Structures are given as structure tokens and as C-alpha cells.
Amino acid sequence: MSGADAAGPVADSAIGDLRAVRDALQRDLLRVLLQLDTNPGEDSLVRRQGQTAVAVYRQIERRLADLGDEIANVTGARAVEAVAAVVGAPPATLPLDVRAELDQIVNGQIGDVVAVFRAANDEIRQAVARGITTGGSLADLVSAVSDQMDVTFRQAQAAVDAAVMAAGRRAVVSIALDVEEDTDEQMVFVYVGPRDAKNRPFCRQWVGKAVVDPRKLDNKQGLPVEDYCGGYNCRHSWAPTPIPLALENGYRIYDETGADVTERFRPRMLEASAVVDVG
Amino acid sequence: MGVTVTKRGRMPKFNAQGIAREIQRFAPGAIVERVGRGLDVKGQPFAGYSARYRRQLKRMGEDPKVDLRLSGGLMNSVKARDATLRADSVEVVIAPDTGTSPQYRAPSERRAYRQASLAEGRFAERGVARTLTKAEGRAFAKSLKYETAGARRIDTGRRSPPHNIVGYWLHFGTPTMRARPWMGLDPKQEAYLLKRIAEIMWK
């Protein structure tokens, strides 16, 4: 049984919502398209496109506008609730501003989900328009709409996943960045994750290195680096690490310009004997 | 005759808030960083992946290093989930969340052939071996092209089990998977944390 079907995991409620949207929208659109087959004496879209294409296209357009936007909004709100449930109420011992930051990420992802459905509406409209105006077969048209709905569903699901991962990263990074002079030691942030051909340039540059402040880096994706690392669906993580341990484990420390500032931190080192090759 | 003991100087103070904060700052990153280096809670390298899984990783274009990471969902979900402060103790729960991640698979040419064979009826009914229809042929060509389009992860559309369950399986192993104990601090990390807690209590 997949996680999506299993009872319990709260994130699945967001996935369930998105799946319901896809099914509802798909059913509705297909119903409109299949009306073409109910006219007696006509069995192909090509033969009757002149008479009904415009009417069908208008129906589809209207339904997408009404149903799509409405459902996208509902889904967005429900998805936020699900994300919040997964992320959980931050422990009361976390500083208030960290808790506020987590709320902000969770609320922010509503925009991503809605945007995905709005964009998809346009693409479905275009697919329908192409199918009708070029006189393709009804089966191809139905298949195009169905494919597009699958893509949309996965994109919206990816937006929910990305938000959940971003909130997880923020919860870890924020409290480490927040240094209280009296009690806390400064930490550096090790960029952890796979090193392979699929790495984005940002990930290739930083993986296996420690940075002083990830907030000052730019992943060229317009997304906060401390939340999204290299971008949407990034497989990497930030691991806040005390400077002595980072040096002991052989990490080099860099600032936001990419300059190696390891030596600046060297005097703080506790033991310089063990250096581990981290590849 | 009585004995009077006098201690001079500052005494350590149990600072529950400060200790909880230090654990929350240190432990999640320490776990993720150590796992990223392929080491378990004893500081020993994890058991290697099976040859079959390594082949799958290769077909997905993934790093074959044992870092318990495919989508990154599990490792990115490790954080402080709860903290209880008492007069003389602190309890901080560091754990993966209950969310799920997308399930991926490696591209497989064999999969396309199997699907086509099923459509052809080769495995469905003994003695029946019809030719693929034109539509089935097109679907087979499309599927074969998709499955041989290079190394990449293919989203199956299904979801993983919840992260906390996957984490448990990885930690303790299953009948078909070796244990790779990862939730916890290694001795070196634990020593560092104890030193920091002592510093906080003496502040």
C-alpha cells in the first residue's frame, strides 16, 4: 500500500485534496467533451467540428474558469492545513520569530498550488482549442486533457512537497542562525547531499562545504537558499555544525563570496589531529 | 562534633531553557551531517547498499554513496518536534515528521517490454498470442522511448510510507534490509553536546 493510501500520515490529506481536484476537473471536462459523441448520426470530431467546436470550446472554457479557480483556492487552503499538520506545532522552546517564519512558509505555499492550477487551466484550454480547431480525433483530445491533468496534479503535489521540505529546513537553520551572545556558539552550515551529474550548478559548487551564512547565497532560482537550497525539489540539506566539529571533520569554511575563510576560524579549533576526507 | 563544609565560588545552575535550546540547535544538524558522511551512530560506516539497489541508483543517475537519501525528504524532515522542560530535566524529541515523499523508480526497458507482452496477451491466456493493435503498438513505442531516455528518476505517482516509519525501518532494518542505525549522536558528537551543556550550566 502506498503512503497516499495509508491512513494516518497527515501530508496525505493534501495529496488527497489534489487528487480530488484532478478527478473532479477531469470528470467535468471529459463530460463536456463526450457530449460530442451523443449527437446522433455523428461519430467523429472531424465531421462535426464546424457545428459544435465553438460551443464545446466555450463550455470548457467557462467550466475551467468557474470550477478550476474555485477548486484551486479550496485546495490551496486545505493543503496549507495539511502542511501545517506535518510540520507540527513548533516546540514552545523555539523563539517566537522562528515559529512565525515557519507559519510564513506554510502560508506562502498556497500561492504555489493555486498558481499551478491557474497555469494548467491555460494549457488545458490550449490543448482543447488545438484539438477542436485541427479536427483531431476525440480520443486524442480526451487523452491530451487527461495527460495535462496528470501533469498538473504532480506539479501541485511537488509544490506541497517543496513547502514541507522548506519548512523543515527553516526550522533547523533559523534556530542555529539565531546566536544568543551569552550562551550560544556560532555555527557554520554544511551543505549535505548527493554529488552527481544531476546537481544544479549551485549544489555542485557548495556540496561538501561549510558556509558562514546560507542566507547570503544566491541559487539563481529566486528562492531563499536557507529554505530551498538549490531550488524546488532539491535533495540537499543544511546541517548546522559547531565550528570545532566542522574543522575536525575536515570541512573548509566559505563566506558568501566563495572565499575560503577557514583560517579565520582555525584558532577556535579544539583538536587539529583528525582530518577526515569528506570527498 | 560536627563538620562544616563550605564551598566558595559559583555553583552550576540548571538552565532548562538554555539546555533545550542547545540540543535543538545542535542535534538535527549533527545527525544529518554525520549521515551525509555515511556514518552510523557509532561513527562506523553504514552497511553498503545491495548490488541491485546500486544498479537502480545508477540508472537513476544518483550518487551511489550510502547516505540514506533519495529525494531528501526524510533528512529534511529531521528536526526538534517537541520539548518538555522540568525543574531538573529536559526532554527534547528530535525526529523525522509524519509526512511522505514521492516514490521514484529507475527507468527500465524490461518494463516496457513486459507491458507490451501483457497487452499482446502472452501472459494473460495460454495459447493466445495476438498481434498488438496499432494503438497498442504506438503505446509500446512511446513507453520504450520513455524507459530508455537516459538515466533519471521516474516519479511513480505513489507516495513513500511516512518519514518516521521509513526512519525506523532504516534504523532497525527489516527482514529484507540491513539495519543502518542513524537516529542519534555518535560518541564524539555526544561528548561535544555534554561539554556545551556543562558550559551553559556554569555560565
Side-chain angles (χ1 to χ4, degrees):
Chain A
M1 183 195 286
S2 75
D5 302 327
V10 193
D12 290 346
S13 67
I15 309 302
D17 281 348
L18 296 174
R19 188 164 281 150
V21 170
R22 178 189 56 177
D23 293 347
L25 204 50
Q26 209 164 359
R27 264 199 312 274
D28 203 55
L29 291 175
L30 297 187
R31 204 176 295 133
V32 174
L33 289 168
L34 291 171
Q35 281 172 4
L36 294 167
D37 275 347
T38 60
N39 294 339
E42 293 181 334
D43 58 1
S44 83
L45 179 64
V46 179
R47 285 168 55 187
R48 74 184 106 79
Q49 75 174 80
Q51 296 169 9
T52 55
V54 175
V56 168
Y57 178 76
R58 281 191 186 142
Q59 276 192 59
I60 289 171
E61 197 173 33
R62 196 173 57 246
R63 275 166 203 247
L64 279 170
D66 297 346
L67 185 72
D69 287 355
E70 182 191 333
I71 292 178
N73 281 318
V74 172
T75 305
R78 292 285 298 278
V80 167
E81 283 170 25
V83 172
V86 169
V87 172
T93 50
L94 278 182
L96 275 178
D97 52 347
V98 175
R99 278 180 270 170
E101 284 171 10
L102 294 181
D103 285 345
Q104 206 178 350
I105 293 176
V106 169
N107 291 334
Q109 69 94 40
I110 189 172
D112 289 346
V113 174
V114 173
V116 165
F117 276 93
R118 292 227 165 102
N121 282 353
D122 288 339
E123 283 168 28
I124 292 169
R125 277 190 202 111
Q126 284 164 15
V128 170
R130 265 197 307 275
I132 290 174
T133 52
T134 58
S137 77
L138 181 60
D140 286 347
L141 185 54
V142 169
S143 163
V145 171
S146 179
D147 286 351
Q148 187 54 49
M149 285 309 298
D150 274 342
V151 171
T152 308
F153 169 67
R154 293 203 180 171
Q155 284 172 343
Q157 193 175 307
V160 175
D161 286 339
V164 171
M165 284 225 271
R169 290 189 187 107
R170 177 69 71 95
V172 172
V173 169
S174 283
I175 189 166
L177 278 168
D178 179 31
V179 179
E180 283 184 7
E181 291 297 325
D182 291 349
T183 52
D184 295 345
E185 277 199 340
Q186 189 191 348
M187 291 187 159
V188 289
F189 295 81
V190 178
Y191 198 54
V192 183
R195 188 198 299 265
D196 52 35
K198 297 195 310 189
N199 284 167
R200 293 179 169 108
F202 175 88
C203 302
R204 202 173 304 127
Q205 181 186 355
W206 292 107
V207 70
K209 294 177 180 171
V211 298
V212 178
D213 188 347
R215 288 173 301 186
K216 293 182 179 167
L217 302 180
D218 182 6
N219 56 19
K220 313 276 185 220
Q221 309 269 327
L223 295 165
V225 168
E226 67 273 27
D227 300 338
Y228 291 91
C229 291
Y232 273 117
N233 290 327
C234 185
R235 298 166 293 163
H236 295 84
S237 318
W238 292 110
T241 307
I243 292 167
L245 283 185
L247 292 171
E248 199 177 332
N249 290 332
Y251 292 105
R252 307 292 300 179
I253 303 172
Y254 296 82
D255 66 10
E256 65 276 12
T257 64
D260 186 337
V261 293
T262 313
E263 296 311 316
R264 197 192 297 166
F265 295 98
R266 189 71 74 180
R268 296 180 181 213
M269 207 163 109
L270 297 175
E271 294 169 16
S273 55
V275 176
V276 177
D277 181 13
V278 291
Chain B
M1 191 172 72
V3 177
T4 305
V5 178
T6 308
K7 180 154 172 48
R8 295 182 187 282
R10 285 186 305 124
M11 295 294 286
K13 185 183 158 202
F14 186 74
N15 175 357
Q17 185 84 26
I19 293 169
R21 184 181 156 80
E22 184 61 25
I23 296 171
Q24 287 172 352
R25 290 184 84 227
F26 174 71
I31 293 168
V32 170
E33 188 273 330
R34 196 202 61 244
V35 171
R37 281 187 289 134
L39 302 178
D40 66 15
V41 288
K42 289 181 181 166
Q44 301 297 315
F46 285 125
Y49 289 143
S50 68
R52 182 166 178 254
Y53 188 56
R54 278 204 306 275
R55 277 200 303 274
Q56 286 179 353
L57 286 174
K58 192 177 168 193
R59 288 206 305 272
M60 286 192 270
E62 295 280 338
D63 189 345
K65 186 176 69 173
V66 185
D67 59 359
L68 315 185
R69 188 186 287 259
L70 186 59
S71 69
L74 172 66
M75 288 301 148
N76 277 311
S77 76
V78 176
K79 57 184 169 292
R81 297 191 59 77
D82 197 13
T84 311
L85 311 185
R86 298 189 193 90
D88 59 353
S89 68
V90 170
E91 193 178 303
V92 180
V93 178
I94 311 284
D97 65 24
T98 56
T100 61
S101 291
Q103 222 169 39
Y104 296 109
R105 69 170 174 84
S108 163
E109 195 177 322
R110 193 182 296 174
R111 187 187 176 93
Y113 280 105
R114 197 173 59 230
Q115 279 174 343
S117 301
L118 285 171
E120 201 183 7
R122 193 174 293 160
F123 300 135
E125 209 176 322
R126 184 174 290 183
V128 175
R130 65 186 168 80
T131 310
L132 292 177
T133 64
K134 205 177 264 184
E136 286 166 346
R138 272 202 304 267
F140 171 54
K142 193 177 163 188
S143 166
L144 194 58
K145 196 175 162 192
Y146 184 68
E147 298 292 347
T148 54
R152 70 205 192 286
R153 296 186 308 191
I154 295 177
D155 189 341
T156 61
R158 305 178 76 185
R159 307 291 295 178
S160 74
H163 294 141
N164 54 347
I165 304 288
V166 175
Y168 181 90
W169 288 343
L170 286 170
H171 190 94
F172 293 104
T174 68
T176 56
M177 186 175 69
R178 293 169 71 180
R180 296 183 178 89
W182 66 283
M183 275 304 296
L185 301 177
D186 69 19
K188 205 198 300 180
Q189 292 169 333
E190 208 166 287
Y192 175 85
L193 185 60
L194 290 174
K195 180 178 115 358
R196 285 288 303 136
I197 289 172
E199 282 172 6
I200 290 166
M201 288 175 69
W202 281 100
K203 276 258 160 66

